[in-house]
Amino acid sequence: MNNSHAPMHTRGLISILVVLLIWGSSFSVTKYVVTEIPPLTAATLRNVIACIALLPFYLVSRRRTKAPLPLGKLTLMGLSGTTLYYLCFNTGMHYIPASTGALIEGLVPVAIAVPAALILKEHLGKRLVAGIILSVTGVILVGFVGNRGQGAGSTLGSTLIVAAVCLWSVYTLLSRTMKDHDTLQVTAVSMMIGTALSIPIGWMEVHQTGFPEISWKAWLGLGYCGILSSAVAYFLYNKALENLPAAQVGNFLNLNPVIGAIVAFIFLRETFTSLQWAGGVLVIAGIWLSSRKSGPVPEK
């Protein structure tokens, strides 16, 4: 059993790094999509696409493993990680630049690490704590400078992204308690429940504003968000949580503001200050420090 610890740790690291590349770019893609499609409608369409992408894999997995799933927890995961998360995230991104949304999401590690220590009794070693302090300091440098002059609604948008951060913490902690169940089934069922709960919200927006005309570029963005950012990334994220502590996974998410801001800088021409670059260096240093193994990984 002990020989499997290193490969499990490596698989967890690879999974979360792929997730970061996908999610880091999703801020700019989402920003483009919600400039053309109303945010709640876009969230619902994204979730439906994700469910369609996951459905055949779920059906195959369900034939192999028919163990009962805790629908209560899965409903809470769907509500927090799909329905309410994308309601807050998409609406927030409608009001603020992609880089600002990415930087605010850098608060995720704190929102995960503290409850993980209090509720899941996960040990916060000195190295992990130091990494969190370094990377969160970087997030403060990156995320709380140059945010003036972003237009009307920026405060509302930022508040909604903070709410999305809190919702993601709930989803992460719930997912961490589900590691004894099939990852694909947990991801698919929670997302399907969350999508079903989001459809009435999207329908109300369509009823008020009408169904928008959607260009092929926006459809491509929805496909990217639904298939890669939701279906694939959620599966890999839950896989990472099987093999790594929730606090460490949360600290890796500090790379999201760096990647998101750089992508927005390159593709959306959003500005990036010298302080933000300095903060990005601190974030990367914190990730490196916290990802180094300080001892054996406890047996699952």
Side-chain angles (χ1 to χ4, degrees):
M1 179 69 74
N2 290 333
N3 293 334
S4 66
H5 291 156
M8 287 169 58
H9 184 79
T10 301
R11 285 197 297 269
L13 291 177
I14 293 172
S15 295
I16 196 62
L17 288 174
V18 173
V19 167
L20 288 171
L21 291 174
I22 296 172
W23 280 348
S25 59
S26 69
F27 294 98
S28 293
V29 177
T30 300
K31 180 64 180 177
Y32 178 83
V33 168
V34 297
T35 58
E36 187 171 320
I37 307 171
L40 303 184
T41 306
T44 302
L45 290 173
R46 168 192 180 136
N47 293 335
V48 169
I49 290 170
C51 288
I52 293 172
L54 279 174
L55 183 60
F57 300 100
Y58 165 75
L59 292 175
V60 171
S61 174
R62 197 60 185 161
R63 289 194 195 100
R64 290 198 313 263
T65 307
K66 296 186 177 181
L69 295 170
L71 291 180
K73 280 189 179 180
L74 290 173
T75 300
L76 290 176
M77 286 179 67
L79 188 63
S80 60
T82 300
T83 310
L84 296 177
Y85 177 83
Y86 284 113
L87 186 154
C88 293
F89 181 76
N90 277 28
T91 307
M93 291 301 297
H94 180 73
Y95 292 108
I96 59 177
S99 56
T100 302
L103 302 173
I104 293 172
E105 289 252 342
L107 297 174
V108 163
V110 176
I112 292 175
V114 175
L118 295 176
I119 300 172
L120 301 182
K121 308 302 181 184
E122 292 189 357
H123 176 63
L124 293 180
K126 292 180 180 179
R127 185 175 290 163
L128 183 56
V129 170
I132 290 174
I133 291 172
L134 262 184
S135 51
V136 170
T137 301
V139 167
I140 292 171
L141 278 177
V142 173
F144 294 93
V145 296
N147 59 345
R148 294 178 295 276
Q150 291 183 345
S154 60
T155 300
L156 172 62
S158 297
T159 302
L160 287 170
I161 299 298
V162 170
V165 167
C166 296
L167 289 164
W168 191 253
S169 172
V170 174
Y171 176 86
T172 297
L173 296 175
L174 287 168
S175 178
R176 183 66 176 159
T177 67
M178 300 282 286
K179 61 183 180 180
D180 292 331
H181 297 275
D182 183 84
T183 305
L184 178 58
Q185 292 181 26
V186 167
T187 304
V189 173
S190 64
M191 188 171 292
M192 289 173 187
I193 293 172
T195 299
L197 294 173
S198 71
I199 288 175
I201 300 173
W203 175 255
M204 285 191 294
E205 187 177 63
V206 169
H207 181 71
Q208 291 176 348
T209 63
F211 195 82
E213 293 185 10
I214 304 176
S215 68
W216 68 269
K217 290 183 179 180
W219 277 116
L220 193 63
L222 282 172
Y224 180 91
C225 290
I227 296 172
L228 289 180
S229 188
S230 288
V232 173
Y234 272 51
F235 171 75
L236 291 176
Y237 183 75
N238 289 331
K239 202 72 176 172
L241 287 169
E242 287 184 3
N243 301 313
L244 299 172
Q248 188 179 16
V249 171
N251 198 46
F252 262 89
L253 294 181
N254 266 314
L255 276 176
N256 257 351
V258 178
I259 298 173
I262 290 174
V263 171
F265 173 76
I266 294 173
F267 292 99
L268 300 182
R269 300 293 187 265
E270 294 183 0
T271 57
F272 206 49
T273 68
S274 57
L275 277 179
Q276 289 173 318
W277 285 111
V281 172
L282 288 179
V283 169
I284 294 171
I287 293 293
W288 174 81
L289 185 62
S290 67
S291 64
R292 294 180 63 195
K293 294 172 66 178
S294 57
V297 180
E299 292 192 12
K300 290 180 63 180

